[in-house]
Amino acid sequence: MRFFILFFMGMLGVGFSQTELDLKDLEKKPAGIVRDYYLWRYISDKKTSLENAKKAYELTQNKNNALQKAMQEKGVENSEKSPDVKLPEDIYCKQITLESMLETTDAFQASCIAIALKSKIRDFDKIPLQTFKPLQEKIKEAYPVLYEELEILQSKHVSASLFKANVQVFSALFNHLSYEKKLQIFEEHIPIKELNRLLDEDYPAFNRLIYQVILDPKLDHFKDALAKSNATQNNAQTFFILGINEILRKKPSKALKYFERSEAVVKDDDFSKDRAIFWQYLASKKKKTLERLSQSPALNLYSLYASRKLKTTPSYRIISRIQNLSQEDPPFNTHDPFLWQIFKEKTLSLKDEGAFNAMLKSLYYEKSAPELTYLLSQRNKDKIYYYLSPYEGIIEWQNTDERAMAYAIARQESFLLPALISRSFALGLMQIMPFNVGPFAKSLGMDNIDLNDMFNPNIALKFGNYYLNHLKKEFNHPLFVAYAYNAGPGFLRRWLESSKRFKEKNHFEPWLSMELMPYSETRMYGFRVMLNYLIYQEIFGNFIPIDTFLEQTLNSKDKP
């Protein structure tokens, strides 16, 4: 085993030249988010030809919006220079008009016709039936769900036909419709019997749209219908949001039943279980329910609230420092995204605990403590939670609030890992988006900054902290700062101004407003960052009562 580790570490020593992006080098790299990011940079490079950009695009694993946009722009830039080079199907088929496709139908495969039709569903009312129908017939066998979607849209009573459809067709069409069309369709009669049938299918896509409906500022008729329904066969998340729908309708007794169902069906998800128990407590105010929550083996904002409220000792452990770490440099460059991806995947693939722990020995260095604790947390059988504060000395903190917030964000964004890249290509320790790197560098008076500098914590931490301080000037409370950091200040500003959230002081607030954040990622982000913030504040010597802290969000001075 020791020979294997030394050999493997030797292989890791060969890094990737991140300044020169060569397609042949990228072809040899392991598939995944890291390679997708560098392929995106390669495609975006002005010197890359359309033909090579297309080859790079085909190598990508997850064709996200950034990649699609870069490829589309490359096609526009080179349309005259390379007229014979056709764009990838998922882009080309969205751009072609249905009329031109109809003229040469035999030249297009069913997959291309399906892509074109899906992209045009939002404008279905504007497309002549004689254009739509022949193309629809072409995809009937290969894409039966899409075919049924189009059949429903052509029916006399779209809403009635939609609720008679199977759950897969309903979910697909809902997601393809424009928002305006949804408002129109779901103002019509909603049959409760059919709604119950769809709910009890426990179909993932349908469950997600139910969450979306309840969080929507409109669609009240649909929400009223859900309140009249009685789902009995579903998952924890759907039961939970149905309970929240009852809370909004001031029916805590019915809400309590849904929260109890949510807890009953939870599988291997401590957060969802604790959330269901917490809302049972809010709906019933029974101390025994809070006592159950305080015994949770998991650390989250709900269990922390319970243990602090009852002044009990939690069963989980928090570790803020790893002892006896070497001050020397680790055996591989932890700032290299490819090297970290290879090491992480290889280590986590080891089923034998002895082999796993042997691999971890190469990380017992101060500079690789985040990588060490990340991997340890992936095998977290003892419910140990790591709250490190590495990279000290980079910033001269103004106060404990600034320090706690920076680490709370960094822990949630990257688990303090310097070489992390997200699916949307957010970069490094503080997950800075590529389009923000230039403006932040200019504001900080830093020259010659490249995107790859975001993998250097000495630079990334400064960039992230600068942005947090900028957001705090407008949003003040750490929760709103966290929302803005994740979803953008523009979105948060519009949501706070247009919604009724964080404006009422009642028994369920501000917890209810936190649960009603419409973006699922941002909703979870807020809960996790606030937990991190409170834990780091305590580690840094400043205990903050949760009730007082969260109630400050209801103060109008904390919002724009």
Side-chain angles (χ1 to χ4, degrees):
M1 174 54 70
R2 186 173 185 275
F3 170 78
F4 168 75
I5 293 170
L6 291 173
F7 174 74
F8 182 65
M9 297 308 298
M11 291 175 63
L12 285 176
V14 182
F16 177 63
S17 175
Q18 297 166 351
T19 54
E20 294 296 328
L21 300 170
D22 183 85
L23 186 57
K24 289 184 178 179
D25 287 335
L26 288 169
E27 286 174 341
K28 299 173 186 175
K29 293 296 175 182
I33 294 172
V34 177
R35 188 171 75 165
D36 284 355
Y37 161 70
Y38 284 109
L39 287 167
W40 167 72
R41 292 196 66 177
Y42 178 79
I43 294 168
S44 303
D45 192 325
K46 296 291 183 183
K47 299 189 293 293
T48 301
S49 68
L50 177 58
E51 188 174 4
N52 282 339
K54 185 178 177 182
K55 290 178 182 177
Y57 186 80
E58 297 302 335
L59 284 174
T60 59
Q61 193 173 58
N62 175 40
K63 293 173 174 55
N64 63 15
N65 290 335
L67 277 162
Q68 291 183 34
K69 183 180 179 183
M71 192 66 237
Q72 190 171 346
E73 290 176 351
K74 182 65 68 174
V76 172
E77 293 168 4
N78 293 268
S79 57
E80 294 183 5
K81 191 186 300 182
S82 307
D84 297 330
V85 180
K86 192 176 176 181
L87 286 173
E89 184 182 68
D90 61 323
I91 296 174
Y92 171 74
C93 299
K94 286 179 183 177
Q95 295 177 338
I96 193 167
T97 64
L98 295 182
E99 289 75 13
S100 60
M101 184 173 273
L102 186 62
E103 291 175 4
T104 55
T105 310
D106 293 338
F108 296 96
Q109 294 183 346
S111 58
C112 186
I113 297 173
I115 291 170
L117 289 172
K118 282 180 185 178
S119 68
K120 308 295 191 297
I121 281 184
R122 290 173 178 270
D123 300 316
F124 178 83
D125 294 339
K126 302 175 184 177
I127 301 170
L129 188 61
Q130 61 266 30
T131 301
F132 228 102
K133 199 66 179 176
L135 294 173
Q136 180 190 356
E137 292 300 321
K138 287 284 184 179
I139 55 96
K140 184 175 183 178
E141 291 185 11
Y143 297 89
V145 171
L146 179 58
Y147 180 87
E148 289 300 323
E149 290 180 62
L150 298 173
E151 284 290 290
I152 290 170
L153 287 173
Q154 294 169 59
S155 64
K156 188 175 181 180
H157 301 288
V158 175
S159 179
S161 299
L162 182 58
F163 278 94
K164 289 177 182 177
N166 68 50
V167 70
Q168 186 179 3
V169 172
F170 187 108
S171 305
L173 183 53
F174 181 93
N175 291 324
H176 289 147
L177 291 172
S178 67
Y179 186 62
E180 292 72 21
K181 193 68 176 177
K182 289 174 186 174
L183 294 178
Q184 178 188 335
I185 289 174
F186 296 117
E187 275 303 307
E188 298 178 25
H189 171 68
I190 295 177
I192 305 304
K193 182 180 178 181
E194 296 296 347
L195 182 57
N196 277 329
R197 171 182 64 81
L198 293 165
L199 282 166
D200 286 344
E201 288 281 344
D202 190 15
Y203 185 69
F206 187 81
N207 294 341
R208 287 192 294 271
L209 77 83
I210 292 301
Y211 226 110
Q212 186 180 334
V213 166
I214 293 172
L215 298 182
D216 192 272
K218 298 180 181 180
L219 295 176
D220 290 328
H221 189 55
F222 201 151
K223 284 180 267 190
D224 288 340
L226 288 168
K228 295 174 185 175
S229 69
N230 183 32
T232 57
Q233 305 293 324
N234 215 291
N235 66 6
Q237 286 71 33
T238 306
F239 282 139
F240 174 77
I241 199 62
L242 288 170
I244 292 296
N245 192 46
E246 299 300 334
I247 292 291
L248 289 169
R249 277 148 184 73
K250 297 180 171 52
K251 296 179 180 178
S253 297
K254 190 173 180 182
L256 181 59
K257 292 179 181 178
Y258 274 128
F259 296 143
E260 289 170 345
R261 290 176 194 172
S262 179
E263 181 193 0
V265 298
V266 167
K267 296 178 181 177
D268 302 320
D269 185 352
D270 290 329
F271 180 87
S272 294
K273 181 177 181 179
D274 289 351
R275 180 178 62 178
I277 296 172
F278 175 79
W279 276 91
Q280 288 174 49
Y281 164 71
L282 285 186
S284 67
K285 273 301 177 185
K286 291 182 179 179
K287 186 179 179 181
K288 287 185 177 180
T289 305
L290 195 63
E291 288 172 350
R292 278 202 302 125
L293 180 57
S294 70
Q295 295 166 10
S296 171
L299 172 61
N300 50 58
L301 199 59
Y302 307 111
S303 62
L304 184 70
Y305 173 89
S307 62
R308 286 190 174 183
K309 186 87 171 176
L310 298 176
K311 298 179 181 179
T312 58
T313 302
S315 59
Y316 51 77
R317 287 194 295 153
I318 294 174
I319 293 178
S320 60
R321 185 167 183 79
I322 305 294
Q323 301 296 327
N324 303 319
L325 294 179
S326 172
Q327 299 301 312
E328 298 178 5
D329 290 334
F332 74 95
N333 181 7
T334 57
H335 299 176
D336 187 310
F338 274 119
L339 297 185
W340 167 238
Q341 177 188 335
I342 294 167
F343 185 89
K344 176 189 71 174
E345 290 178 354
K346 181 60 185 176
T347 304
L348 292 177
S349 71
L350 297 172
K351 304 299 182 184
D352 180 73
E353 286 300 309
F356 176 78
N357 291 326
M359 285 292 285
L360 292 189
K361 287 181 180 178
S362 61
L363 295 177
Y364 276 81
Y365 297 81
E366 196 72 44
K367 291 182 180 179
S368 57
E371 287 78 9
L372 172 63
T373 53
Y374 169 81
L375 292 170
L376 285 170
S377 70
Q378 299 301 299
R379 299 279 181 96
N380 189 8
K381 296 178 179 178
D382 300 320
K383 293 300 178 185
I384 298 174
Y385 296 88
Y386 298 94
Y387 279 79
L388 307 187
S389 49
Y391 318 119
E392 287 288 16
I394 295 173
I395 292 176
E396 190 173 326
W397 305 108
Q398 300 177 53
N399 48 50
T400 303
D401 287 348
E402 181 187 41
R403 185 184 177 201
M405 192 62 184
Y407 278 113
I409 292 286
R411 188 182 187 279
Q412 175 56 30
E413 288 286 355
S414 66
F415 205 84
L416 305 168
L417 300 168
L420 193 71
I421 301 175
S422 77
R423 289 185 179 275
S424 59
F425 301 155
L427 306 173
L429 175 71
M430 302 299 285
Q431 292 288 275
I432 306 296
M433 291 301 294
F435 56 77
N436 278 329
V437 172
F440 288 3
K442 185 177 181 181
S443 297
L444 289 166
M446 299 174 71
D447 299 322
N448 302 316
I449 293 295
D450 181 76
L451 295 186
N452 290 322
D453 288 320
M454 294 304 98
F455 305 130
N456 181 348
N458 292 311
I459 297 175
L461 188 57
K462 292 176 183 176
F463 274 51
N465 193 56
Y466 158 77
Y467 191 37
L468 286 170
N469 286 332
H470 172 76
L471 294 172
K472 190 175 181 181
K473 291 176 184 176
E474 178 176 359
F475 297 105
N476 196 4
H477 195 279
L479 178 62
F480 300 134
V481 173
Y483 284 158
Y485 194 96
N486 179 259
F491 158 76
L492 181 61
R493 202 178 296 120
R494 291 188 297 273
W495 182 61
L496 289 175
E497 288 173 354
S498 63
S499 73
K500 298 177 182 179
R501 309 283 70 89
F502 298 101
K503 292 177 182 176
E504 298 179 17
K505 291 187 177 181
N506 61 47
H507 173 60
F508 299 108
E509 291 292 355
W511 298 94
L512 181 59
S513 289
M514 293 169 71
E515 300 288 3
L516 293 171
M517 161 58 67
Y519 291 171
S520 59
E521 179 187 315
T522 306
R523 185 187 325 121
M524 294 298 294
Y525 189 88
F527 277 103
R528 289 167 178 163
V529 171
M530 291 306 93
L531 171 69
N532 293 348
Y533 178 80
L534 292 165
I535 297 294
Y536 273 118
Q537 284 277 17
E538 189 170 5
I539 289 171
F540 298 152
N542 185 24
F543 181 88
I544 298 178
I546 296 180
D547 277 335
T548 304
F549 173 66
L550 291 180
E551 283 171 5
Q552 291 169 358
T553 61
L554 303 176
N555 186 331
S556 61
K557 291 185 293 183
D558 284 343
K559 299 188 285 296

